[in-house]
Amino acid sequence: MRDAFLLLACLMSGLLCAQTVKPLDDAKLKRQQFEFRKNMPAYAEQLVADLTFPMAWGNSTTTDFNEWRQLAREKVFECMLTPPPPSDAPAKPLELPGDFEQREGYRAYRLSLPLSRYYDVPALLLVPDGEGPFPAVNVLHDHGAHLFIGKEKMIRPLATDDSQVRADADAWVASLYEGQYLGDFLAKHGYVVLSTDAPLWGERGREEGVDRKAYDVIAGNMMMYGVDLCGYMHYDDIHATDFLAALPQVDSLRIGCAGCSMGAYRAWMLSALSDRIRCGAAICWMNTADHQLTLRHGRGENGGFANCLPGLRRWLDYPHVASLACPKPMLFINGRQDKLFPVEGVEKAFGVMHDVWKSQLADSQLETELWDIPHSCGLEAQQRILEFLDKTLKRK
């Protein structure tokens, strides 16, 4: 009996000791065998090699361009998953609020757009002084791994906005846009300008504050509902452009879009998916999957949820989707010093798009340029955007 008690005591002691042992810290541990490196699969090259892009123009069995564009658009929308339901707000004539901030030759408004039954989208709007209707531009903000501000990267915040937001916007624009807000620059030159927060940016972020890692978890949770945050971003950009077209101050036949970095990605996606858009300018976001989704260049795709449309790469590469905008006038500028987009991939993507525009006898409408700049949209690039927009949207 005594031996049995001793055995039981030893077992209990071992159990208590086991309960006090803490698990090892994953962040400090590495296994000798692994399947992922630098946030990419070790078999990335095999995955890329298996991408045949069967719905691309020239690969598709559909030979009528308009029919192909319709079918390819439908595939993109399918990969964007379920759209947000339209707003329940009753239809009524659009009127701008009475409160605005007068700026040099234009007025600045703060808006809340009822783009869905689920949410309203915060926006800034600039309207030139004088008689309209005016040409208009949907300016689309960047990613930059900086999510505290969104629309304020494109349009200078109002004087009544939070001082931290204003200071942060000024600092961001100084770093990426040489101190000039693209939206305000275009408004000074006669454009109505709209900019909205993308999901998870600015006033569409977390109650708890910015946490980049948490946003990937949020994106995964959203997919559990059968919706995709990147898809929502594109749906919102389309619906915001519809709002812009309905304003009495806007000539609905003269609407363009423009952006840098993720804003460039949004610009060519919007140009591809919305018939409202007459032309688009995309600064520093174009590549091909075999150069973007690879470990050969020492980095992979860091956009994460912001340009993740489930399954789309199995059907269409980035330039194939952008080519849905053909034969619209489009401007693409990338930088030779841009470490995010290898030049070899950029040149390949430009060639793919030119082949599409050439096939529709519209190659003069596609302008692709490589500048000796890093990932940025400085004063010279903004001037180039203005000249491009003027050529299309102010042409008599």
Side-chain angles (χ1 to χ4, degrees), residues 219-249:
N221 286 336
M222 293 294 280
M223 281 195 176
M224 297 300 289
Y225 295 107
V227 301
D228 178 65
L229 277 179
C230 181
Y232 266 31
M233 178 173 71
H234 297 311
Y235 284 121
D236 289 345
D237 289 343
I238 293 168
H239 298 151
T241 304
D242 293 338
F243 163 84
L244 191 58
L247 287 173
Q249 295 86 354

Side-chain angles (χ1 to χ4, degrees), residues 40-79:
M40 298 283 284
Y43 44 88
E45 303 310 319
Q46 294 98 310
L47 284 172
V48 168
D50 287 340
L51 298 177
T52 59
F53 309 118
M55 289 202 72
W57 177 247
N59 294 345
S60 171
T61 57
T62 303
T63 56
D64 178 87
F65 189 79
N66 289 330
E67 183 181 351
W68 166 78
R69 183 169 52 197
Q70 180 61 32
L71 291 172
R73 263 191 184 182
E74 289 173 2
K75 177 57 69 175
V76 176
F77 280 121
E78 176 186 321
C79 294

Side-chain angles (χ1 to χ4, degrees), residues 156-230:
R156 179 162 53 86
L158 302 183
T160 55
D161 285 342
D162 181 89
S163 60
Q164 190 175 26
V165 169
R166 289 186 280 115
D168 189 53
D170 285 344
W172 187 258
V173 169
S175 68
L176 195 63
Y177 300 92
E178 280 193 83
Q180 179 170 268
Y181 288 87
L182 176 59
D184 290 75
F185 174 66
L186 295 176
K188 287 180 182 178
H189 288 85
Y191 289 92
V192 172
V193 178
L194 176 72
S195 190
T196 59
D197 284 333
L200 293 182
W201 269 266
E203 294 175 284
R204 301 181 72 184
R206 296 168 71 243
E207 179 182 9
E208 300 86 353
V210 175
D211 182 343
R212 176 66 179 82
K213 292 181 180 179
Y215 284 0
D216 290 327
V217 176
I218 293 171
N221 286 336
M222 293 294 280
M223 281 195 176
M224 297 300 289
Y225 295 107
V227 301
D228 178 65
L229 277 179
C230 181

Side-chain angles (χ1 to χ4, degrees), residues 237-292:
D237 289 343
I238 293 168
H239 298 151
T241 304
D242 293 338
F243 163 84
L244 191 58
L247 287 173
Q249 295 86 354
V250 169
D251 182 342
S252 64
L253 299 180
R254 295 190 291 157
I255 299 177
C257 61
C260 171
S261 191
M262 184 185 77
Y265 164 72
R266 294 168 68 190
W268 55 255
M269 284 290 292
L270 180 58
S271 300
L273 299 177
S274 172
D275 290 331
R276 296 277 191 195
I277 296 295
R278 286 259 341 261
C279 62
I283 313 301
C284 290
W285 207 122
M286 180 47 66
N287 213 339
T288 54
D290 59 342
H291 288 277
Q292 190 71 2

Side-chain angles (χ1 to χ4, degrees), residues 101-109 124-130 134-139 154-156 180-195 258 382 385-386 389-390 394:
E101 180 177 285
Q102 183 65 48
R103 297 184 178 176
E104 188 179 344
Y106 58 99
R107 303 178 299 282
Y109 297 86
L124 292 172
L125 179 75
L126 306 178
V127 179
D129 296 339
F134 302 99
V137 186
N138 190 347
V139 290
M154 295 283 95
I155 293 177
R156 179 162 53 86
Q180 179 170 268
Y181 288 87
L182 176 59
D184 290 75
F185 174 66
L186 295 176
K188 287 180 182 178
H189 288 85
Y191 289 92
V192 172
V193 178
L194 176 72
S195 190
Q382 293 186 46
I385 292 171
L386 175 65
L389 294 173
D390 282 352
K394 290 188 177 179

